[in-house]
Amino acid sequence: MTPDIASQESEKLCRLAPVIPVLVIDDVSLARPLAEALVAGGLPVLEVTLRTPEALDAISEMAKVEGGIVGAGTLLTPQDVSRAVDAGARFGVSPGATDHLLDACEGADLPLLPGAATASEAMRLLERGYTVQKFFPAEANGGAPALKAIGAPIPQVRFCPTGGVSLSNAPVYLGLPNTLCVGGSWVAPKDKMAAGDWAGIEALAREAAALPVTR
């Protein structure tokens, strides 16, 4: 998969909903009902971060949910890419980007949303052919004003900002012309997951899915 095609596929995913849930799953038994609640609420694209031992099994369970498109976040190495693909991930997300990681995703035909934090990093990815990127960590890097500033000289790149994005500041990001969608964990709070409050999570998803986007 070429970077150009990867970016086309990533853009399609980013346009399906204003928010991509960023999920940290410690209990595999919660994976499927969580995915069902989020998809029912209008958020079909789900990112499961590879931050727990249960993450790959969670991806496998979520991949069974009709209407859901499950990807693997926190991809750091080519080994992560192989394991994610084997688990059923349909896209990947990384906090940054290295040549080895980009090579692995392209070789595995896995669309990647590569992370960039600076104009130089965005330019390097653009030079390789990635026109859709992740802006991370968004709030720590200056938030929406910083992303807007990067967009002025580099309008060719569109972003999914994550890291500190919440319901309160998501509309500011989504109002930028270089933002396709945002990534956030607020739609799946740990207390609601632990309590099995799937109706509550579905309600949060519906609220997020209704956020307006300027594209």
Side-chain angles (χ1 to χ4, degrees):
M1 176 176 288
T2 65
D4 179 63
I5 292 177
S7 289
Q8 291 178 34
E9 293 301 314
S10 293
E11 181 167 352
K12 289 177 185 177
L13 295 176
C14 288
R15 289 183 178 276
L16 291 177
V19 179
I20 295 178
V22 179
L23 309 170
V24 180
I25 300 177
D26 297 297
D27 184 345
V28 177
S29 69
L30 305 179
R32 188 160 184 169
L34 173 60
E36 290 171 344
L38 292 168
V39 171
L43 301 181
V45 184
L46 311 173
E47 175 192 341
V48 178
T49 62
L50 300 187
R51 301 181 190 176
T52 68
E54 292 79 9
L56 293 171
D57 289 335
I59 290 172
S60 296
E61 284 299 306
M62 287 184 161
K64 301 172 185 177
V65 175
E66 185 176 356
I69 302 172
V70 186
T74 324
L75 294 179
L76 303 178
T77 68
Q79 292 74 26
D80 289 339
V81 174
S82 297
R83 289 191 287 262
V85 170
D86 289 343
R90 293 171 59 184
F91 67 94
V93 184
S94 61
T98 67
D99 288 331
H100 287 309
L101 183 65
L102 295 172
D103 289 342
C105 287
E106 292 164 15
D109 288 333
L110 184 70
L112 177 68
L113 198 59
T118 66
S120 292
E121 291 173 358
M123 288 172 60
R124 183 179 181 278
L125 285 167
L126 176 61
E127 187 176 75
R128 181 153 175 156
Y130 287 91
T131 56
V132 177
Q133 303 172 19
K134 166 182 171 176
F135 181 57
F136 176 83
E139 283 294 285
N141 276 319
L147 186 55
K148 180 180 180 180
I150 288 175
I154 316 175
Q156 305 96 319
V157 179
R158 312 291 284 281
F159 292 91
C160 170
T162 73
V165 180
S166 64
L167 180 62
S168 62
N169 61 22
V172 182
Y173 285 102
L174 293 171
L176 299 177
N178 62 339
T179 296
L180 289 170
C181 66
V182 300
S185 59
W186 82 87
V187 293
K190 287 187 176 182
D191 58 342
K192 290 188 182 298
M193 289 174 58
D197 184 5
W198 308 123
I201 288 177
E202 182 178 337
L204 290 175
R206 289 189 184 282
E207 184 179 34
L211 290 171
V213 185
T214 299
R215 292 171 175 155

